Amino acid sequence: MRKCSLMAAVVMLQAMTSSALAQEAVSAYPSKPVRVIVAQAAGGGADNVARLFAAKVGEPLGRQFIIENHPGRDIAWTMVARAKPDGYTLLSVVPDFTFASALYPNLPVNPSKDFEPISLLTRTPFQLVVNAAFPARTLQEFIAKAKADDGKVNMAGGLPGTGTHLLSVWFLSQAGIKATYVPYKGIFQAVIDLLAGRVDVTFATASATPHIKSGKLRSLGASTAQRARYLPDVPTIQEQGVVFDGSSWQGWAATGGTSAPIINKLWGELAKAAKSPELAKTLSVDNAETVGNSPEEFRKFMAAEFPRWMKVVKESNIKAEDGL
């Protein structure tokens, strides 16, 4: 009995020591600069958001959060997935994090298993926009015209396999209509052609907002379940009878296996940053809305995105452009 009691005491002491060391490690985190890997080039929207949050988080934690741009998902994602799970190598994730595996079955990492979600930082609602001269003033009128024209409506969007392409295909499926898809290298060019009347409809964000406010373009609905803060008078697509909730978004994730206390410590500071009026105002220029939700909420958000895009890609037989 005495031997068993001694062994139990030793086990308990080891557990207490291990717990104390773990708490000490978390309290000391970060003790050196933290790398945030961005899979996009410097100067783009994703890079800008990552830098703004990195600066906000680094200040209270007393360490630099250094942005490293490594364009190309395979390189960037692998760097983080294969890093030591200590919270010192993080990944900026954007929508392709949840649909790339549907398009590229041979990815070197598994986005749904090799990373620990930290927080969804921003969401940017799209607007479904038409030229002001287009003969449809509401979403239901647009759907009726598209059905009557049976595929003759031209819908502009990104290149095959990009976010706006998948968003467009999903919308058409949800609305039960057909359209002729016109791919563009960028939505800015699509908006120019929409203004000129060369295409009929597209999903757009900041590039279309001034033209919606001036009356040159008309928004038929916001893409998210809640109305966009930058155009609060425009009803959502979902409000108008089509089940739909899509957006451009950005979050942060860590290497799979990173401890929950470190993840939660990072989330706490990111959530504070997301509540900053100054940061929200800066991001609103590009129509981005701050979120800062919990790791579990972000995990649930992505868990819904993965099967959705897999279904869209399979049912529509979407093939991505080479080199994307």
Side-chain angles (χ1 to χ4, degrees):
M1 289 291 292
R2 291 179 61 187
K3 186 176 182 180
C4 290
S5 298
L6 181 59
M7 289 179 63
V10 170
V11 170
M12 183 178 294
L13 180 61
Q14 289 176 333
M16 292 172 62
T17 302
S18 177
S19 176
L21 290 172
Q23 290 177 5
E24 185 179 347
V26 172
S27 64
Y29 174 86
S31 59
K32 61 181 181 181
V34 177
R35 305 159 68 206
V36 182
I37 309 300
V38 178
Q40 292 79 31
D47 176 69
N48 180 52
V49 172
R51 290 180 187 276
L52 288 169
F53 274 93
K56 279 288 186 182
V57 172
E59 186 177 341
L61 291 176
R63 296 290 175 181
Q64 276 189 302
F65 278 66
I66 302 169
I67 301 299
E68 291 188 14
N69 298 92
H70 295 276
R73 67 176 69 86
D74 285 10
I75 295 172
W77 295 3
T78 302
M79 287 177 67
V80 180
R82 304 289 183 260
K84 186 177 179 181
D86 55 8
Y88 288 98
T89 307
L90 310 178
L91 179 67
S92 164
V93 294
V94 293
D96 76 331
F97 191 75
T98 57
F99 64 70
S101 54
L103 295 164
Y104 306 98
N106 297 317
L107 287 175
V109 299
N110 187 327
S112 65
K113 294 181 179 179
D114 294 339
F115 301 88
E116 295 293 340
I118 302 173
S119 183
L120 176 64
L121 304 180
T122 65
R123 287 193 80 184
T124 306
F126 288 93
Q127 299 291 329
L128 183 67
V129 287
V130 296
N131 187 288
F134 189 81
R137 302 197 63 84
T138 67
L139 180 65
Q140 290 303 326
E141 287 179 4
F142 173 81
I143 291 173
K145 178 170 177 52
K147 287 181 177 179
D149 289 350
D150 194 27
K152 292 181 182 178
V153 169
N154 292 320
M155 186 163 199
L159 295 173
T162 58
T164 50
H165 177 219
L166 268 65
L167 192 75
S168 300
V169 172
W170 185 41
F171 165 74
L172 294 173
S173 174
Q174 293 296 96
I177 57 178
K178 297 178 182 178
T180 299
Y181 190 76
V182 184
Y184 286 81
K185 288 186 177 180
I187 295 301
F188 181 78
Q189 185 60 49
V191 170
I192 290 176
D193 279 4
L194 185 66
L195 287 164
R198 287 187 282 269
V199 290
D200 297 319
V201 63
T202 192
F203 276 109
T205 56
S207 58
T209 305
H211 305 299
I212 295 171
K213 291 181 177 180
S214 72
K216 293 179 181 179
L217 297 179
R218 180 184 307 117
S219 176
L220 301 177
S223 66
T224 43
Q226 291 79 38
R227 295 190 181 194
R229 296 173 195 167
Y230 63 92
L231 288 173
D233 294 332
V234 176
T236 68
I237 291 171
Q238 192 152 284
E239 279 181 76
Q240 300 175 79
V242 178
V243 177
F244 197 74
D245 184 10
S247 63
S248 179
W249 53 268
Q250 183 167 338
W252 280 11
T255 306
T258 302
S259 71
I262 288 178
I263 294 292
N264 287 331
K265 188 170 187 178
L266 286 165
W267 164 53
E269 295 304 330
L270 288 168
K272 290 176 187 176
K275 293 177 182 177
S276 162
E278 176 191 1
L279 184 59
K281 184 178 180 180
T282 300
L283 289 167
S284 69
V285 173
D286 292 321
N287 294 345
E289 302 175 356
T290 55
V291 182
N293 66 5
S294 72
E296 186 56 33
E297 289 170 328
F298 190 24
R299 186 184 300 279
K300 288 180 180 178
F301 171 82
M302 289 196 289
E305 296 279 298
F306 284 115
R308 170 195 297 165
W309 298 127
M310 185 67 73
K311 185 173 184 286
V312 169
V313 168
K314 284 186 175 181
E315 290 184 350
S316 304
N317 196 29
I318 294 172
K319 304 296 182 185
E321 289 277 300
D322 290 338
L324 287 179

